[in-house]
Amino acid sequence: MASIVALVVALGLVVIKVWAWLATGSISLLTSAADGLVDVVASIVTFAGVRYAARPADRGHRYGHGKAEAVAAFVQALLLTGAAVWLGIESAQGLFVPRVLNQTGFGIWVIVGSSLAAAGLVGMQTLVVRRTGSTAIAADRAHYVTDVAVNLAVLIALLLERFLGWARADAIGALAISVYMVWTAWSMAAHSLIQLFDRELDTAERTRIEVVVRGCDGVQSVHDIRTRNGGDRVFVEFHVEVDGALSVAEGHAIVDRAEKKVQQLFHVADVTAHLEPAGIDDERLDDLIK
């Protein structure tokens, strides 16, 4: 639902901003409209990514499809970068050849309305991200946070043009927006690549996992903890050491409790533990990493 609402809002804002650009001739309004067009494409990508990521595990994808969200976020970053580069070139030209603007009052009202709509959408998406942890919606939200910043820059440029007659304010505002768009795209891409490259969870999360496992009755030690963010869930694996004299059933019960304790640490987690007799001397991932 969040991705559909974002798509509808983005389409509406693009139409209004293009109308305002045609009326005023403002390059910063064109920048904002182009950014909005990227938002439309990004929202379509987000919708597709979220739908695909929600599919359950199947024969070909036994870990699920959660990384589709990270792919969607990375595609959004690429789209935003491309738009920013093109708009940056347009803005630079405006610095050397200032353009005369028309109907700046109309443009100002359009930007104020767009800012309010984008801010409302960001608020809704923030609630969705807190509830679901969706990477794709988080990336989409970053787009609309950018939209709010873009709109504010456009508003300042139009106000300076209308009331102070600063002919280059429009181009400077558009150039600043382009730089901000590149910075936002870089942040989005970096976050999505953490998932795509199976980067470990941070040290604090790994420590929480180890503490919880060691606190389970019957667990003597734990090693070879491996974690990754799968987009829609966290994957955790570890080796549990128990008394070697226990029966397989008793050892399995201990491991089962440890897995459930770790699952409770996260919104959604797929946890797998490997049972070993305490003190076993074998090749360990921890040693290889060291």
Side-chain angles (χ1 to χ4, degrees):
M1 186 186 70
S3 59
I4 292 173
V5 170
L7 179 57
V8 172
V9 171
L11 279 170
L13 290 179
V14 167
V15 171
I16 293 172
K17 288 177 181 179
V18 168
W19 178 26
W21 165 62
L22 291 173
T24 64
S26 167
I27 186 65
S28 60
L29 263 174
L30 174 61
T31 304
S32 185
D35 178 55
L37 185 60
V38 173
D39 287 343
V40 170
V41 178
S43 292
I44 294 172
V45 171
T46 298
F47 179 72
V50 169
R51 291 277 294 179
Y52 187 79
R55 293 182 179 182
D58 56 33
R59 184 171 297 178
H61 305 85
R62 294 177 186 262
Y63 284 101
H65 303 78
K67 283 192 177 181
E69 291 200 5
V71 173
F74 190 72
V75 170
Q76 290 183 48
L78 294 179
L79 291 172
L80 195 59
T81 300
V85 171
W86 174 69
L87 292 169
I89 295 172
E90 286 289 314
S91 304
Q93 292 175 351
L95 288 175
F96 296 102
V97 185
R99 304 176 185 182
V100 179
L101 304 187
N102 304 304
Q103 300 184 51
T104 51
F106 171 61
I108 289 170
W109 281 112
V110 166
I111 286 300
V112 170
S114 298
S115 300
L116 293 175
L121 188 57
V122 167
M124 182 202 69
Q125 290 177 321
T126 299
L127 294 176
V128 173
V129 171
R130 286 178 181 174
R131 184 170 178 177
T132 67
S134 170
T135 303
I137 296 297
D140 214 29
R141 179 184 60 179
H143 266 293
Y144 291 103
V145 170
T146 302
D147 245 16
V148 174
V150 165
N151 289 337
L152 290 176
V154 174
L155 180 60
I156 292 171
L158 292 177
L159 289 172
L160 291 173
E161 179 85 20
R162 181 175 177 83
F163 296 107
L164 297 180
W166 290 11
R168 289 182 172 81
D170 184 52
I172 293 172
L175 189 60
I177 292 166
S178 300
V179 173
Y180 181 72
M181 287 166 66
V182 170
W183 179 81
T184 301
W186 169 256
S187 176
M188 289 164 54
H191 184 69
S192 62
L193 287 175
I194 288 176
Q195 291 185 21
L196 294 175
F197 287 153
D198 286 338
R199 185 177 178 82
E200 286 283 327
L201 300 183
D202 60 38
T203 303
E205 295 289 356
R206 287 174 52 82
T207 300
R208 288 174 64 207
I209 293 169
E210 183 174 356
V211 168
V212 164
V213 174
R214 288 184 180 275
C216 292
D217 291 338
V219 173
Q220 294 192 12
S221 187
V222 58
H223 60 271
D224 286 0
I225 297 175
R226 293 197 295 183
T227 62
R228 64 185 179 89
N229 190 332
D232 62 337
R233 70 196 60 213
V234 172
F235 289 91
V236 181
E237 300 176 18
F238 51 87
H239 291 209
V240 173
E241 297 181 38
V242 302
D243 185 352
L246 296 176
S247 67
V248 173
E250 291 171 326
H252 176 269
I254 294 172
V255 166
D256 202 41
R257 286 197 299 271
E259 289 176 341
K260 286 182 170 59
K261 287 289 186 181
V262 172
Q263 286 175 340
Q264 293 171 6
L265 295 176
F266 303 97
H267 179 67
V268 181
D270 192 320
V271 184
T272 305
H274 175 68
L275 179 65
E276 291 185 355
I280 187 173
D281 184 15
D282 61 354
E283 188 178 75
R284 297 186 177 186
L285 177 62
D286 291 342
D287 295 332
L288 291 174
I289 292 173
K290 289 178 183 178

